[in-house]
Amino acid sequence: MDQSIHRRTIPKCILIGILIVSSSAFNAVDTVRHFSRHYSTALFYKDSADVYKDSITDQKTSKVSDFKLRMRSIVKQRQSTGRKSTSAWRPQNFKTAISLQEYFNVIEEGRRSKRTVVVKFHATWCKKCQSLRPVFLKMATSNPEMIFLDVPVTESNANLHKGLGIESVPFAHVYHPERGLVEETKLSRETFSDFTELVEKHSS
């Protein structure tokens, strides 16, 4: 009788042990799965955030690079256009004088070559002066037999304008090769056609 009881008891103990081990193993596996899933999710979002940051950085770098390239292209284009327009608007009979000596040299050149010299006094900050630049250059292009002189106001040549009696700009002088200074007048877009007639009248 004791042996039968012992035989029936052993399987129950084994069964209980198996259940305990199985339960522990199940909990361990579940814990591992949970940790693994949590870690993988966190890693996923971290990696996604890093990828997003790298993408934004690459986009910003690309935009900056594109902006620099566009600006360089625009500057080069304007410089190229500026050089072309300057050469187109500077005929051979158009000169510039900054000093009093340069001014007298051009007047003397006109006297020796028997050519009328048309002088325009102006300032870079004067809007009215800037508006006259195209028509003055056009006049120079249309009258290659004359000399056209541009005299800008600068910090170093203020005495030049004062010595020549220039009280305001834009202002003009016309020098005949034999009679010297024959015209001195204020300039404006409205009266420039009258000035053109004066210049043609004194053409040598």
Side-chain angles (χ1 to χ4, degrees):
M1 181 175 179
D2 293 335
Q3 291 179 356
S4 62
I5 294 174
H6 182 69
R7 284 195 298 269
R8 287 196 298 271
T9 304
I10 291 173
K12 291 180 179 180
C13 293
I14 293 173
L15 180 60
I16 293 171
I18 292 173
L19 289 174
I20 293 172
V21 172
S22 299
S23 177
S24 300
F26 176 79
N27 291 335
V29 171
D30 186 62
T31 301
V32 170
R33 286 178 178 175
H34 176 73
F35 175 78
S36 178
R37 183 170 59 254
H38 176 74
Y39 176 77
S40 299
T41 303
L43 185 62
F44 169 78
Y45 283 113
K46 180 180 181 300
D47 292 344
S48 298
D50 292 341
V51 171
Y52 176 75
K53 288 180 180 179
D54 292 341
S55 176
I56 293 299
T57 301
D58 292 342
Q59 289 179 7
K60 288 182 178 179
T61 303
S62 178
K63 287 181 180 180
V64 171
S65 300
D66 292 343
F67 177 77
K68 286 183 178 180
L69 290 174
R70 288 198 305 272
M71 290 300 99
R72 288 175 181 174
S73 177
I74 291 172
V75 170
K76 288 181 180 180
Q77 184 178 3
R78 287 184 177 180
Q79 288 177 344
S80 177
T81 304
R83 285 193 294 268
K84 290 179 181 179
S85 62
T86 299
S87 61
W89 283 102
R90 303 280 291 191
Q92 293 183 353
N93 62 331
F94 188 91
K95 303 178 183 295
T96 301
I98 302 298
S99 66
L100 187 61
Q101 186 61 51
E102 291 175 344
Y103 182 84
F104 284 137
N105 287 344
V106 176
I107 302 302
E108 180 62 19
E109 178 185 347
R111 188 187 66 80
R112 286 188 283 103
S113 60
K114 298 186 182 304
R115 301 168 70 187
T116 300
V117 179
V118 183
V119 185
K120 177 172 69 72
F121 301 91
H122 70 96
T124 56
W125 42 260
C126 172
K127 292 183 179 180
K128 186 183 292 186
C129 300
Q130 297 303 318
S131 68
L132 289 173
R133 177 178 172 79
V135 291
F136 190 71
L137 287 171
K138 184 177 180 181
M139 180 187 289
T141 305
S142 302
N143 297 275
E145 74 283 359
M146 301 181 184
I147 297 176
F148 289 79
L149 180 60
D150 204 37
V151 186
V153 178
T154 65
E155 294 181 359
S156 60
N157 70 355
N159 291 334
L160 185 154
H161 292 76
K162 185 177 180 180
L164 294 172
I166 309 302
E167 297 181 354
S168 63
V169 289
F171 202 84
H173 279 180
V174 179
Y175 291 86
H176 190 273
E178 296 178 357
R179 300 192 298 272
L181 180 61
V182 290
E183 297 290 347
E184 46 184 336
T185 180
K186 293 181 179 181
L187 292 176
S188 68
R189 287 297 295 264
E190 293 76 16
T191 61
F192 198 81
S193 58
D194 297 334
F195 176 69
T196 302
E197 293 179 1
L198 287 176
V199 171
E200 291 176 351
K201 184 178 67 174
H202 297 293
S203 175
S204 57

